[in-house]
Amino acid sequence: NLSLAMTTLRDLEVGEELTFDYSATTDSLKEFQAAICLCGSKRCRGSFLHFAKADMYQKVFNLTNSCSTRFATLIKACMKPKPNDSDVDTLNRHGFITAAFGALSYYENQNSQKYVPVWLRCYVADILRYIEYERKSLPVSLICDSREKNREDKKVPILPYDVADVEGRNAMDRRVIDCTQTLNLVGRVLARERETKGGIKKPLRILGDAEVVIKLWMGEDSLVRRLMAAMEKAGTPSIEMEYVRGIEDGFPTLKTTNISDMDDPVKASNARHEVKIALLALRNSLMKLHKGCKSVCRFSRDRNVAAADLLLFYAHTDNFVEASSYSSFSSSPVTVYARELG
């Protein structure tokens, strides 16, 4: 049987009334004001509920953990050859040993963390480290938010630090639970992939130099080829198109190298370096067209600037990735009995 044990830090008198803070929250000011606490303690905040808007808990997350940041974290995890000491310590600190990874940790009648892919262990460790950072930052954010709300409406209380600190701890616990639940679902998919394919591939594959050169410059459907086609479709005059195409003449390595030569790692590496320089040169040519050519309509010139910004982005990108695909499958049937529905 499950039980709840409570202990005290001092001796209690017979008949002494005890109070307990459940750390429950509400985002309704009306509900908060109606939840009057009658405990009589000097430290009581006056209500048995915490008042907190939902967006208060997302402020730290929205400011410090954008979509691009999370994606970069996944790329770094996919590039790691093995978990470092910090990764191992973080996983152990939160109890992410085997059970947290669900079906992934069980393989060939053995239960071990070694069966969990390296990239997933590293990625989860990074997530847990961010949760720890958020736990430290959230109390301050909650207090600042409550002060702002209090200036607007004096009925809204200012959170004391001890209350905000409890909220930060609760938020961390919820994040860890959510992470565990998500891992359970991910583990089922990846475990099925291992059963059917004999292994688990990384969700993102880092492209080699040869693949990057082909995708950006040499391939029939490369970035540069599609850019040229888009410029022609937009009505860019032929004389200006010839000017842009002439950029390639300044890079003999790219002009004389064939796709078949990309099998040579040295040639691929040299071509990759030259592609970066060529993209920046192409970008500069588009900017010159924007500034100096009056024969193109303003809309087309603005599109050239947008294309120039895109080329700058690609030129300074160090790692290109390709998303992996996983096999789809149907879950086992679940039986629901009427008595379970109440």
Side-chain angles (χ1 to χ4, degrees), residues 107-142:
Y107 188 58
E108 296 181 341
N109 296 323
Q110 294 184 0
N111 193 33
S112 174
Q113 198 182 79
K114 69 180 182 180
Y115 297 122
V116 180
V118 170
W119 66 264
L120 184 58
R121 280 182 278 163
C122 295
Y123 186 53
V124 172
D126 277 327
I127 291 175
L128 293 175
R129 275 191 290 269
Y130 176 78
I131 291 174
E132 291 175 345
Y133 163 78
E134 185 186 40
R135 185 260 179 276
K136 296 177 181 178
S137 304
L138 188 57
V140 177
S141 177
L142 292 176

Side-chain angles (χ1 to χ4, degrees), residues 97 175 179 288:
I97 311 300
R175 295 279 196 206
C179 182
K288 289 179 180 179

Side-chain angles (χ1 to χ4, degrees), residues 55-267:
D55 57 353
M56 292 169 62
Y57 291 91
Q58 290 294 110
K59 278 194 172 182
V60 176
F61 183 87
N62 293 337
L63 286 173
T64 61
N65 203 28
S66 63
C67 180
S68 59
T69 301
R70 299 194 296 273
F71 189 68
T73 301
L74 181 58
I75 293 177
K76 292 177 182 177
C78 290
M79 295 177 67
K80 281 187 176 181
K82 65 177 183 178
N84 56 36
D85 292 341
S86 177
D87 295 331
V88 175
D89 290 342
T90 302
L91 292 173
N92 292 338
R93 188 163 58 250
H94 290 275
F96 279 64
I97 311 300
T98 55
F101 291 97
L104 270 181
S105 59
Y106 187 80
Y107 188 58
E108 296 181 341
N109 296 323
Q110 294 184 0
N111 193 33
S112 174
Q113 198 182 79
K114 69 180 182 180
Y115 297 122
V116 180
V118 170
W119 66 264
L120 184 58
R121 280 182 278 163
C122 295
Y123 186 53
V124 172
D126 277 327
I127 291 175
L128 293 175
R129 275 191 290 269
Y130 176 78
I131 291 174
E132 291 175 345
Y133 163 78
E134 185 186 40
R135 185 260 179 276
K136 296 177 181 178
S137 304
L138 188 57
V140 177
S141 177
L142 292 176
I143 292 173
C144 292
D145 192 88
S146 67
R147 289 182 180 276
E148 292 178 7
K149 296 290 192 301
N150 179 263
R151 282 196 289 267
E152 299 171 1
D153 185 353
K154 294 301 180 181
K155 294 181 180 180
V156 179
I158 298 176
L159 282 181
Y161 181 79
D162 57 341
V163 174
D165 190 59
V166 170
E167 292 300 319
R169 177 70 193 188
N170 292 341
M172 183 179 77
D173 292 340
R174 287 193 296 270
R175 295 279 196 206
V176 172
I177 291 173
D178 290 343
C179 182
T180 306
Q181 292 173 338
T182 303
L183 272 179
N184 183 268
L185 300 176
V186 171
R188 290 179 180 273
V189 176
L190 296 182
R192 185 64 65 92
E193 182 80 8
R194 182 170 57 195
E195 293 174 6
T196 57
K197 303 295 184 180
I200 303 174
K201 53 192 172 184
K202 298 176 181 179
L204 299 174
R205 185 177 65 85
I206 311 300
L207 300 185
D209 290 335
E211 294 174 293
V212 173
V213 172
I214 292 172
K215 287 184 175 294
L216 294 184
W217 197 274
M218 290 186 174
E220 290 296 327
D221 193 40
S222 67
L223 170 71
V224 172
R225 298 290 176 268
R226 285 184 282 123
L227 174 62
M228 297 295 184
M231 290 179 65
E232 289 183 338
K233 187 176 180 180
T236 303
S238 57
I239 187 172
E240 294 164 11
M241 288 298 303
E242 290 300 321
Y243 168 72
V244 174
R245 288 195 179 96
I247 298 298
E248 189 174 7
D249 296 333
F251 299 92
T253 300
L254 295 178
K255 191 173 183 180
T256 58
T257 303
N258 298 318
I259 292 181
S260 58
D261 296 328
M262 291 294 99
D263 294 334
D264 185 341
V266 176
K267 290 184 178 180

